Short mmCIF file of all heavy atoms in Angstrom, two decimals:
data_model
loop_
_atom_site.label_atom_id
_atom_site.label_comp_id
_atom_site.label_asym_id
_atom_site.label_seq_id
_atom_site.Cartn_x
_atom_site.Cartn_y
_atom_site.Cartn_z
N MET K 1 86.99 70.68 127.23
CA MET K 1 85.69 70.14 127.03
C MET K 1 85.71 69.47 125.74
O MET K 1 85.99 69.88 124.73
CB MET K 1 84.62 71.00 127.21
CG MET K 1 83.29 70.56 127.65
SD MET K 1 82.19 71.81 128.04
CE MET K 1 82.97 72.69 129.38
N PRO K 2 85.33 68.15 125.69
CA PRO K 2 85.16 67.40 124.40
C PRO K 2 84.20 68.01 123.31
O PRO K 2 83.19 68.54 123.75
CB PRO K 2 84.70 65.89 124.81
CG PRO K 2 84.87 65.83 126.21
CD PRO K 2 84.90 67.19 126.77
N LYS K 3 84.64 67.96 122.18
CA LYS K 3 83.82 68.49 121.19
C LYS K 3 83.40 67.35 120.21
O LYS K 3 83.98 66.39 120.15
CB LYS K 3 84.59 69.51 120.32
CG LYS K 3 84.87 70.93 121.11
CD LYS K 3 83.66 71.70 121.22
CE LYS K 3 84.04 72.96 122.00
NZ LYS K 3 82.84 73.86 122.18
N THR K 4 82.23 67.50 119.67
CA THR K 4 81.76 66.60 118.58
C THR K 4 82.55 66.79 117.32
O THR K 4 82.85 67.98 116.95
CB THR K 4 80.27 66.80 118.37
OG1 THR K 4 79.59 66.76 119.72
CG2 THR K 4 79.65 65.74 117.54
N LYS K 5 82.84 65.66 116.61
CA LYS K 5 83.56 65.84 115.38
C LYS K 5 82.65 66.72 114.29
O LYS K 5 81.59 66.53 114.20
CB LYS K 5 83.64 64.45 114.63
CG LYS K 5 84.52 63.52 115.44
CD LYS K 5 84.58 62.11 114.79
CE LYS K 5 85.40 61.18 115.77
NZ LYS K 5 85.27 59.78 115.17
N ALA K 6 83.55 67.66 113.78
CA ALA K 6 82.81 68.66 112.94
C ALA K 6 82.14 68.00 111.76
O ALA K 6 81.03 68.61 111.32
CB ALA K 6 83.86 69.62 112.35
N LYS K 7 82.54 66.99 111.14
CA LYS K 7 81.93 66.32 110.05
C LYS K 7 80.81 65.38 110.36
O LYS K 7 80.20 64.83 109.48
CB LYS K 7 82.91 65.66 109.17
CG LYS K 7 83.95 66.66 108.51
CD LYS K 7 84.94 65.94 107.66
CE LYS K 7 85.91 66.91 107.07
NZ LYS K 7 86.82 66.37 106.15
N GLU K 8 80.62 65.10 111.59
CA GLU K 8 79.63 64.25 111.95
C GLU K 8 78.23 64.93 111.81
O GLU K 8 78.02 66.02 112.33
CB GLU K 8 79.77 63.74 113.49
CG GLU K 8 79.20 62.55 113.78
CD GLU K 8 79.49 62.08 115.23
OE1 GLU K 8 80.74 62.40 115.67
OE2 GLU K 8 78.84 61.33 115.77
N LYS K 9 77.25 64.23 111.22
CA LYS K 9 75.91 64.80 111.04
C LYS K 9 75.16 64.81 112.29
O LYS K 9 75.13 63.90 112.93
CB LYS K 9 75.27 63.92 109.99
CG LYS K 9 73.75 64.46 109.68
CD LYS K 9 73.15 63.63 108.66
CE LYS K 9 71.67 64.19 108.53
NZ LYS K 9 71.04 64.11 107.26
N MET K 10 74.56 66.00 112.48
CA MET K 10 73.72 66.22 113.74
C MET K 10 72.40 65.94 113.40
O MET K 10 71.91 66.39 112.28
CB MET K 10 73.90 67.61 114.25
CG MET K 10 75.27 67.97 114.72
SD MET K 10 75.69 67.11 116.18
CE MET K 10 77.13 67.81 116.52
N VAL K 11 71.61 65.34 114.33
CA VAL K 11 70.14 65.18 114.09
C VAL K 11 69.31 65.77 115.28
O VAL K 11 69.84 65.72 116.37
CB VAL K 11 69.79 63.59 114.17
CG1 VAL K 11 68.41 63.33 114.02
CG2 VAL K 11 70.65 62.84 113.11
N LEU K 12 68.33 66.45 114.82
CA LEU K 12 67.51 67.13 115.82
C LEU K 12 66.67 66.17 116.56
O LEU K 12 65.86 65.50 115.80
CB LEU K 12 66.78 68.27 115.10
CG LEU K 12 65.87 69.13 116.13
CD1 LEU K 12 66.64 69.79 117.18
CD2 LEU K 12 65.04 70.08 115.22
N ILE K 13 66.55 66.24 117.77
CA ILE K 13 65.53 65.41 118.63
C ILE K 13 64.77 66.31 119.59
O ILE K 13 65.32 67.45 119.89
CB ILE K 13 66.18 64.16 119.37
CG1 ILE K 13 67.19 64.77 120.41
CG2 ILE K 13 66.90 63.32 118.47
CD1 ILE K 13 67.63 63.67 121.42
N SER K 14 63.70 65.94 119.94
CA SER K 14 62.98 66.67 121.03
C SER K 14 62.78 65.84 122.26
O SER K 14 62.56 64.67 122.22
CB SER K 14 61.61 66.93 120.47
OG SER K 14 60.94 68.09 120.97
N VAL K 15 63.16 66.41 123.43
CA VAL K 15 63.08 65.80 124.68
C VAL K 15 62.34 66.49 125.74
O VAL K 15 62.51 67.75 125.76
CB VAL K 15 64.50 65.52 125.20
CG1 VAL K 15 64.51 64.78 126.53
CG2 VAL K 15 65.38 64.80 124.27
N HIS K 16 61.45 65.94 126.46
CA HIS K 16 60.82 66.47 127.60
C HIS K 16 61.52 66.30 128.86
O HIS K 16 61.84 65.01 129.14
CB HIS K 16 59.38 65.97 127.70
CG HIS K 16 58.40 66.42 126.54
ND1 HIS K 16 58.32 65.70 125.34
CD2 HIS K 16 57.59 67.48 126.45
CE1 HIS K 16 57.52 66.33 124.62
NE2 HIS K 16 57.11 67.39 125.22
N ILE K 17 61.88 67.34 129.63
CA ILE K 17 62.44 67.16 130.96
C ILE K 17 61.83 68.08 131.97
O ILE K 17 61.18 69.08 131.49
CB ILE K 17 64.07 67.53 130.83
CG1 ILE K 17 64.28 68.97 130.47
CG2 ILE K 17 64.71 66.53 129.90
CD1 ILE K 17 65.77 69.26 130.61
N PRO K 18 61.88 67.77 133.20
CA PRO K 18 61.35 68.58 134.20
C PRO K 18 61.91 69.94 134.10
O PRO K 18 63.10 70.14 133.85
CB PRO K 18 61.67 67.82 135.49
CG PRO K 18 61.92 66.45 135.10
CD PRO K 18 62.46 66.54 133.77
N LYS K 19 61.10 70.89 134.50
CA LYS K 19 61.52 72.40 134.45
C LYS K 19 62.80 72.59 135.40
O LYS K 19 63.79 73.29 135.09
CB LYS K 19 60.45 73.27 135.01
CG LYS K 19 60.67 74.76 135.17
CD LYS K 19 60.54 75.60 133.90
CE LYS K 19 60.56 77.07 134.27
NZ LYS K 19 61.99 77.55 134.34
N GLN K 20 62.74 71.99 136.54
CA GLN K 20 63.99 72.14 137.42
C GLN K 20 65.18 71.62 136.91
O GLN K 20 66.28 72.21 136.95
CB GLN K 20 63.62 71.37 138.87
CG GLN K 20 64.82 71.68 139.82
CD GLN K 20 64.50 71.16 141.18
OE1 GLN K 20 63.40 70.78 141.44
NE2 GLN K 20 65.57 71.14 142.02
N MET K 21 65.18 70.51 136.18
CA MET K 21 66.27 70.09 135.36
C MET K 21 66.88 70.99 134.29
O MET K 21 68.05 71.28 134.34
CB MET K 21 66.17 68.66 134.79
CG MET K 21 66.00 67.58 135.68
SD MET K 21 65.56 65.88 134.90
CE MET K 21 67.20 65.60 134.29
N LEU K 22 65.98 71.58 133.61
CA LEU K 22 66.31 72.54 132.57
C LEU K 22 66.95 73.78 133.25
O LEU K 22 67.87 74.32 132.80
CB LEU K 22 65.11 73.01 131.81
CG LEU K 22 65.33 73.98 130.75
CD1 LEU K 22 66.33 73.41 129.74
CD2 LEU K 22 64.05 74.36 130.05
N ASP K 23 66.29 74.20 134.45
CA ASP K 23 66.85 75.44 135.14
C ASP K 23 68.24 75.02 135.57
O ASP K 23 69.13 75.97 135.46
CB ASP K 23 66.02 75.72 136.35
CG ASP K 23 64.69 76.37 135.88
OD1 ASP K 23 64.46 76.72 134.70
OD2 ASP K 23 63.73 76.31 136.75
N GLU K 24 68.54 73.93 136.12
CA GLU K 24 69.93 73.54 136.69
C GLU K 24 70.91 73.50 135.41
O GLU K 24 71.97 73.82 135.61
CB GLU K 24 69.90 72.28 137.38
CG GLU K 24 69.15 72.36 138.70
CD GLU K 24 68.94 71.21 139.54
OE1 GLU K 24 69.94 70.30 139.30
OE2 GLU K 24 68.04 70.98 140.26
N LEU K 25 70.42 72.86 134.31
CA LEU K 25 71.31 72.79 133.09
C LEU K 25 71.56 74.26 132.67
O LEU K 25 72.71 74.54 132.30
CB LEU K 25 70.56 72.02 132.01
CG LEU K 25 71.15 71.92 130.63
CD1 LEU K 25 72.53 71.15 130.85
CD2 LEU K 25 70.36 71.23 129.71
N ASP K 26 70.57 75.09 132.58
CA ASP K 26 70.90 76.50 132.11
C ASP K 26 71.90 77.19 133.11
O ASP K 26 72.72 78.02 132.64
CB ASP K 26 69.49 77.27 132.12
CG ASP K 26 68.69 76.93 130.90
OD1 ASP K 26 69.19 76.34 129.90
OD2 ASP K 26 67.47 77.32 130.95
N GLU K 27 71.70 76.91 134.31
CA GLU K 27 72.75 77.49 135.31
C GLU K 27 74.17 77.07 135.07
O GLU K 27 75.13 77.86 135.10
CB GLU K 27 72.22 77.23 136.78
CG GLU K 27 73.17 77.77 137.84
CD GLU K 27 73.14 79.29 137.84
OE1 GLU K 27 72.15 79.89 137.39
OE2 GLU K 27 74.17 79.96 138.16
N LEU K 28 74.33 75.74 134.70
CA LEU K 28 75.73 75.41 134.31
C LEU K 28 76.16 76.00 133.06
O LEU K 28 77.39 76.38 132.99
CB LEU K 28 75.69 73.78 134.10
CG LEU K 28 75.33 72.96 135.26
CD1 LEU K 28 75.26 71.41 134.94
CD2 LEU K 28 76.45 73.02 136.30
N VAL K 29 75.25 76.29 132.01
CA VAL K 29 75.69 77.03 130.97
C VAL K 29 76.03 78.36 131.31
O VAL K 29 76.99 78.91 130.81
CB VAL K 29 74.56 76.95 129.78
CG1 VAL K 29 74.96 77.82 128.66
CG2 VAL K 29 74.39 75.39 129.29
N LYS K 30 75.29 79.02 132.14
CA LYS K 30 75.46 80.36 132.57
C LYS K 30 76.78 80.52 133.26
O LYS K 30 77.49 81.53 133.14
CB LYS K 30 74.32 80.85 133.44
CG LYS K 30 74.36 82.28 133.87
CD LYS K 30 73.17 82.61 134.82
CE LYS K 30 73.41 84.00 135.46
NZ LYS K 30 72.22 84.22 136.40
N GLN K 31 77.14 79.60 134.06
CA GLN K 31 78.45 79.56 134.75
C GLN K 31 79.70 79.30 133.84
O GLN K 31 80.83 79.31 134.29
CB GLN K 31 78.35 78.50 135.92
CG GLN K 31 77.40 78.73 136.96
CD GLN K 31 77.34 77.58 137.95
OE1 GLN K 31 78.03 76.55 137.73
NE2 GLN K 31 76.36 77.65 138.90
N GLY K 32 79.41 78.89 132.58
CA GLY K 32 80.41 78.67 131.63
C GLY K 32 80.95 77.23 131.66
O GLY K 32 82.01 77.00 131.08
N ARG K 33 80.18 76.34 132.44
CA ARG K 33 80.68 74.88 132.61
C ARG K 33 80.49 74.21 131.18
O ARG K 33 81.25 73.33 130.84
CB ARG K 33 79.87 74.29 133.63
CG ARG K 33 79.93 74.70 135.02
CD ARG K 33 81.24 74.32 135.67
NE ARG K 33 81.57 72.93 135.68
CZ ARG K 33 81.02 72.13 136.62
NH1 ARG K 33 80.29 72.61 137.67
NH2 ARG K 33 81.38 70.81 136.64
N PHE K 34 79.54 74.72 130.40
CA PHE K 34 79.24 74.20 128.98
C PHE K 34 78.95 75.32 128.15
O PHE K 34 78.33 76.30 128.51
CB PHE K 34 78.12 73.25 129.10
CG PHE K 34 78.35 71.98 129.95
CD1 PHE K 34 77.79 71.96 131.25
CD2 PHE K 34 79.00 71.00 129.53
CE1 PHE K 34 77.96 70.82 132.08
CE2 PHE K 34 79.08 69.86 130.33
CZ PHE K 34 78.81 69.84 131.63
N PRO K 35 79.23 75.16 126.87
CA PRO K 35 79.06 76.41 125.89
C PRO K 35 77.54 76.45 125.62
O PRO K 35 77.10 77.54 125.23
CB PRO K 35 79.83 75.97 124.77
CG PRO K 35 80.10 74.56 124.78
CD PRO K 35 79.99 74.12 126.28
N SER K 36 76.83 75.42 125.74
CA SER K 36 75.30 75.36 125.38
C SER K 36 74.64 74.23 125.93
O SER K 36 75.25 73.23 126.44
CB SER K 36 75.17 75.37 123.78
OG SER K 36 75.63 74.10 123.34
N ARG K 37 73.35 74.41 126.02
CA ARG K 37 72.48 73.24 126.45
C ARG K 37 72.86 71.94 125.71
O ARG K 37 72.88 70.84 126.11
CB ARG K 37 70.95 73.46 126.24
CG ARG K 37 70.38 74.53 127.14
CD ARG K 37 68.93 74.75 126.73
NE ARG K 37 68.23 75.56 127.64
CZ ARG K 37 66.99 75.98 127.41
NH1 ARG K 37 66.41 75.69 126.34
NH2 ARG K 37 66.38 76.84 128.30
N SER K 38 72.86 72.22 124.30
CA SER K 38 73.06 71.03 123.37
C SER K 38 74.25 70.32 123.69
O SER K 38 74.32 69.07 123.67
CB SER K 38 73.03 71.53 121.95
OG SER K 38 71.74 71.82 121.55
N GLU K 39 75.37 71.10 123.81
CA GLU K 39 76.78 70.55 124.17
C GLU K 39 76.68 69.71 125.53
O GLU K 39 77.31 68.62 125.59
CB GLU K 39 77.87 71.50 124.08
CG GLU K 39 79.27 70.94 124.15
CD GLU K 39 79.64 70.10 123.11
OE1 GLU K 39 78.96 70.14 122.02
OE2 GLU K 39 80.54 69.33 123.18
N ALA K 40 76.05 70.28 126.49
CA ALA K 40 75.97 69.67 127.74
C ALA K 40 75.19 68.26 127.55
O ALA K 40 75.54 67.26 128.12
CB ALA K 40 75.33 70.51 128.76
N ILE K 41 74.16 68.25 126.86
CA ILE K 41 73.34 67.07 126.64
C ILE K 41 74.20 66.08 125.88
O ILE K 41 74.16 64.87 126.29
CB ILE K 41 72.00 67.41 126.06
CG1 ILE K 41 71.14 68.25 127.03
CG2 ILE K 41 71.25 66.14 125.61
CD1 ILE K 41 69.89 68.89 126.47
N ARG K 42 74.82 66.46 124.93
CA ARG K 42 75.66 65.50 124.14
C ARG K 42 76.75 65.01 124.96
O ARG K 42 77.03 63.68 124.85
CB ARG K 42 76.38 66.27 122.99
CG ARG K 42 75.43 66.45 121.74
CD ARG K 42 76.25 66.90 120.46
NE ARG K 42 76.80 68.26 120.63
CZ ARG K 42 76.06 69.45 120.27
NH1 ARG K 42 74.80 69.30 119.77
NH2 ARG K 42 76.52 70.62 120.37
N ILE K 43 77.44 65.74 125.77
CA ILE K 43 78.41 65.12 126.71
C ILE K 43 77.80 64.12 127.62
O ILE K 43 78.34 63.08 127.89
CB ILE K 43 79.14 66.34 127.40
CG1 ILE K 43 80.07 67.10 126.47
CG2 ILE K 43 79.93 65.73 128.56
CD1 ILE K 43 80.46 68.56 126.99
N ALA K 44 76.67 64.57 128.20
CA ALA K 44 75.96 63.63 129.12
C ALA K 44 75.67 62.23 128.50
O ALA K 44 75.85 61.16 129.02
CB ALA K 44 74.70 64.14 129.73
N ILE K 45 75.12 62.31 127.19
CA ILE K 45 74.74 61.03 126.48
C ILE K 45 76.05 60.25 126.18
O ILE K 45 76.03 59.11 126.36
CB ILE K 45 73.89 61.47 125.26
CG1 ILE K 45 72.60 61.92 125.61
CG2 ILE K 45 73.82 60.27 124.27
CD1 ILE K 45 71.83 62.60 124.50
N ARG K 46 77.07 61.02 125.70
CA ARG K 46 78.34 60.32 125.51
C ARG K 46 78.87 59.55 126.58
O ARG K 46 79.28 58.37 126.58
CB ARG K 46 79.32 61.25 124.94
CG ARG K 46 80.65 60.74 124.57
CD ARG K 46 81.92 61.54 124.67
NE ARG K 46 82.01 62.00 126.21
CZ ARG K 46 82.49 63.12 126.49
NH1 ARG K 46 82.98 64.04 125.63
NH2 ARG K 46 82.58 63.43 127.89
N ASP K 47 78.96 60.27 127.76
CA ASP K 47 79.37 59.64 128.99
C ASP K 47 78.50 58.43 129.39
O ASP K 47 78.96 57.46 129.89
CB ASP K 47 79.29 60.64 130.18
CG ASP K 47 80.50 61.66 130.08
OD1 ASP K 47 81.32 61.61 129.07
OD2 ASP K 47 80.43 62.60 130.77
N LEU K 48 77.12 58.43 129.27
CA LEU K 48 76.28 57.32 129.48
C LEU K 48 76.69 56.21 128.51
O LEU K 48 76.69 55.07 129.05
CB LEU K 48 74.73 57.74 129.30
CG LEU K 48 73.77 56.60 129.29
CD1 LEU K 48 73.62 56.02 130.69
CD2 LEU K 48 72.47 57.10 128.84
N LEU K 49 76.79 56.34 127.32
CA LEU K 49 77.14 55.44 126.36
C LEU K 49 78.46 54.77 126.76
O LEU K 49 78.68 53.51 126.56
CB LEU K 49 77.09 55.98 125.01
CG LEU K 49 75.74 56.37 124.45
CD1 LEU K 49 75.88 57.10 123.03
CD2 LEU K 49 74.74 55.30 124.37
N ILE K 50 79.45 55.43 127.08
CA ILE K 50 80.81 55.00 127.49
C ILE K 50 80.73 54.14 128.72
O ILE K 50 81.19 53.05 128.88
CB ILE K 50 81.80 56.10 127.79
CG1 ILE K 50 82.11 56.84 126.45
CG2 ILE K 50 83.00 55.75 128.57
CD1 ILE K 50 83.02 58.08 126.61
N ARG K 51 79.84 54.66 129.75
CA ARG K 51 79.57 53.81 130.92
C ARG K 51 78.93 52.45 130.67
O ARG K 51 79.33 51.48 131.16
CB ARG K 51 78.90 54.69 131.95
CG ARG K 51 78.68 53.83 133.26
CD ARG K 51 77.83 54.65 134.21
NE ARG K 51 76.40 54.57 133.84
CZ ARG K 51 75.53 55.49 134.13
NH1 ARG K 51 75.75 56.68 134.87
NH2 ARG K 51 74.32 55.28 133.84
N GLU K 52 77.93 52.58 129.89
CA GLU K 52 77.28 51.29 129.50
C GLU K 52 78.16 50.28 128.77
O GLU K 52 78.04 49.16 128.98
CB GLU K 52 76.02 51.62 128.62
CG GLU K 52 74.95 52.30 129.45
CD GLU K 52 74.27 51.54 130.47
OE1 GLU K 52 74.28 50.19 130.47
OE2 GLU K 52 74.09 51.94 131.77
N ALA K 53 78.96 50.94 127.83
CA ALA K 53 79.89 49.98 127.10
C ALA K 53 80.89 49.33 127.98
O ALA K 53 81.22 48.12 127.84
CB ALA K 53 80.66 50.87 125.98
N ARG K 54 81.35 50.12 128.95
CA ARG K 54 82.28 49.54 129.99
C ARG K 54 81.50 48.39 130.88
O ARG K 54 82.20 47.33 131.08
CB ARG K 54 82.89 50.59 130.92
CG ARG K 54 83.86 51.43 130.24
CD ARG K 54 84.37 52.48 131.23
NE ARG K 54 85.26 53.39 130.50
CZ ARG K 54 85.65 54.52 130.75
NH1 ARG K 54 85.00 55.17 131.81
NH2 ARG K 54 86.58 55.35 130.15
N LEU K 55 80.36 48.63 131.10
CA LEU K 55 79.66 47.60 131.97
C LEU K 55 79.36 46.39 131.09
O LEU K 55 79.54 45.31 131.64
CB LEU K 55 78.22 48.23 132.40
CG LEU K 55 78.29 49.11 133.63
CD1 LEU K 55 76.81 49.82 133.70
CD2 LEU K 55 78.68 48.57 134.69
N ARG K 56 79.09 46.53 129.79
CA ARG K 56 78.97 45.41 128.98
C ARG K 56 80.26 44.59 128.92
O ARG K 56 80.38 43.32 128.99
CB ARG K 56 78.47 45.77 127.57
CG ARG K 56 76.99 45.93 127.40
CD ARG K 56 76.53 45.99 126.10
NE ARG K 56 77.28 46.99 125.20
CZ ARG K 56 77.03 48.31 125.20
NH1 ARG K 56 76.01 48.77 125.83
NH2 ARG K 56 77.81 49.05 124.44
N MET K 57 81.41 45.35 128.70
CA MET K 57 82.70 44.63 128.70
C MET K 57 82.97 43.95 130.01
O MET K 57 83.48 42.70 129.96
CB MET K 57 83.85 45.64 128.38
CG MET K 57 83.79 46.15 127.07
SD MET K 57 84.95 47.49 126.59
CE MET K 57 86.35 47.12 127.65
N GLN K 58 82.60 44.56 131.03
CA GLN K 58 82.85 43.88 132.27
C GLN K 58 82.06 42.54 132.44
O GLN K 58 82.50 41.50 132.99
CB GLN K 58 82.68 44.75 133.59
CG GLN K 58 83.76 45.96 133.77
CD GLN K 58 83.21 46.84 134.79
OE1 GLN K 58 82.09 46.81 135.35
NE2 GLN K 58 84.16 47.78 135.13
N GLU K 59 80.77 42.71 132.08
CA GLU K 59 79.93 41.56 132.13
C GLU K 59 80.55 40.35 131.25
O GLU K 59 80.38 39.24 131.66
CB GLU K 59 78.48 41.87 131.75
CG GLU K 59 77.79 42.75 132.70
CD GLU K 59 76.51 43.41 132.28
OE1 GLU K 59 76.27 43.27 130.96
OE2 GLU K 59 75.81 44.09 132.93
N ASN K 60 80.98 40.74 130.12
CA ASN K 60 81.55 39.83 129.18
C ASN K 60 82.89 39.13 129.70
O ASN K 60 82.97 37.86 129.58
CB ASN K 60 81.82 40.33 127.77
CG ASN K 60 80.64 40.66 127.05
OD1 ASN K 60 79.58 39.95 127.25
ND2 ASN K 60 80.71 41.45 126.04
N GLU K 61 83.67 39.89 130.41
CA GLU K 61 84.72 39.38 131.22
C GLU K 61 84.47 38.41 132.25
O GLU K 61 85.00 37.47 132.37
CB GLU K 61 85.62 40.47 131.61
CG GLU K 61 86.40 41.30 130.68
CD GLU K 61 87.06 42.54 131.05
OE1 GLU K 61 87.05 42.85 132.34
OE2 GLU K 61 87.54 43.39 130.38
N GLN K 62 83.36 38.78 132.93
CA GLN K 62 82.77 37.80 133.97
C GLN K 62 82.32 36.57 133.45
O GLN K 62 82.59 35.45 134.05
CB GLN K 62 81.83 38.55 134.91
CG GLN K 62 82.35 39.63 135.76
CD GLN K 62 81.14 40.45 136.46
OE1 GLN K 62 80.07 40.10 136.27
NE2 GLN K 62 81.63 41.36 137.22
N LEU K 63 81.72 36.62 132.30
CA LEU K 63 81.21 35.32 131.56
C LEU K 63 82.35 34.41 131.20
O LEU K 63 82.30 33.28 131.29
CB LEU K 63 80.41 35.78 130.41
CG LEU K 63 78.94 36.23 130.71
CD1 LEU K 63 78.22 36.54 129.47
CD2 LEU K 63 78.20 35.07 131.40
N ASP K 64 83.58 35.12 130.66
CA ASP K 64 84.65 34.36 130.33
C ASP K 64 85.33 33.60 131.57
O ASP K 64 85.77 32.51 131.29
CB ASP K 64 85.71 35.29 129.79
CG ASP K 64 85.34 35.80 128.35
OD1 ASP K 64 84.53 35.34 127.81
OD2 ASP K 64 85.97 36.74 127.99
N VAL K 65 85.19 34.23 132.67
CA VAL K 65 85.75 33.53 133.85
C VAL K 65 84.72 32.41 134.25
O VAL K 65 85.29 31.17 134.60
CB VAL K 65 85.90 34.55 135.01
CG1 VAL K 65 86.20 33.85 136.33
CG2 VAL K 65 86.99 35.44 134.73
N ILE K 66 83.48 32.52 134.23
CA ILE K 66 82.66 31.51 134.62
C ILE K 66 82.51 30.48 133.63
O ILE K 66 82.43 29.25 133.90
CB ILE K 66 81.21 32.14 134.92
CG1 ILE K 66 81.17 33.23 135.89
CG2 ILE K 66 80.01 31.15 135.06
CD1 ILE K 66 80.00 34.07 136.06
N VAL K 67 82.47 30.90 132.27
CA VAL K 67 82.43 29.76 131.28
C VAL K 67 83.64 29.87 130.33
O VAL K 67 83.46 30.51 129.25
CB VAL K 67 81.04 30.06 130.49
CG1 VAL K 67 80.95 28.83 129.48
CG2 VAL K 67 79.96 30.14 131.29
N PRO K 68 84.66 29.26 130.79
CA PRO K 68 85.90 29.18 129.82
C PRO K 68 85.71 28.76 128.51
O PRO K 68 84.89 27.69 128.38
CB PRO K 68 86.93 28.47 130.70
CG PRO K 68 86.31 28.15 131.94
CD PRO K 68 84.88 28.44 131.96
N GLY K 69 86.30 29.35 127.62
CA GLY K 69 86.18 28.78 126.13
C GLY K 69 84.83 28.98 125.45
O GLY K 69 84.40 28.55 124.52
N ARG K 70 83.99 29.91 125.99
CA ARG K 70 82.75 30.25 125.53
C ARG K 70 82.62 30.50 124.08
O ARG K 70 83.28 31.00 123.43
CB ARG K 70 82.14 31.37 126.40
CG ARG K 70 80.94 32.10 125.93
CD ARG K 70 80.56 33.19 126.84
NE ARG K 70 81.53 34.22 126.83
CZ ARG K 70 81.25 35.44 126.43
NH1 ARG K 70 80.09 35.77 126.11
NH2 ARG K 70 82.15 36.36 126.19
#
């Protein structure tokens, strides 16, 4: 499971989520799928950011095809 860089500064945020989502997240932690709630949330955010970056790259590649020499 990916770990966050040890020297990277952590910032505390507060997030409101539905109780059922929290219960399901806690169950994943209980099953050992993640070491903690925080780590599971960091992984989910990292995966979202990676997915969004890939989408932006794909959109830029499509623009290059539509408008050569942009």
Side-chain angles (χ1 to χ4, degrees):
M1 203 170 303
K3 293 285 182 184
T4 305
K5 295 177 185 174
K7 293 183 181 184
E8 204 170 334
K9 180 178 173 150
M10 297 287 182
V11 178
L12 179 64
I13 64 169
S14 204
V15 179
H16 289 87
I17 63 171
K19 173 92 169 81
Q20 184 172 348
M21 287 178 73
L22 181 61
D23 292 344
E24 291 178 28
L25 180 61
D26 285 343
E27 184 60 30
L28 292 173
V29 172
K30 183 179 173 184
Q31 293 171 3
R33 301 281 306 272
F34 300 97
S36 66
R37 287 176 177 173
S38 292
E39 186 65 17
I41 292 167
R42 278 192 290 272
I43 290 168
I45 292 170
R46 182 208 59 206
D47 290 350
L48 171 68
L49 294 173
I50 290 169
R51 186 181 76 206
E52 290 298 320
R54 286 180 181 154
L55 285 172
R56 279 194 307 275
M57 286 175 34
Q58 289 174 351
E59 289 169 356
N60 288 336
E61 288 172 3
Q62 290 173 357
L63 283 177
D64 289 342
V65 171
I66 295 170
V67 185
R70 174 178 64 123

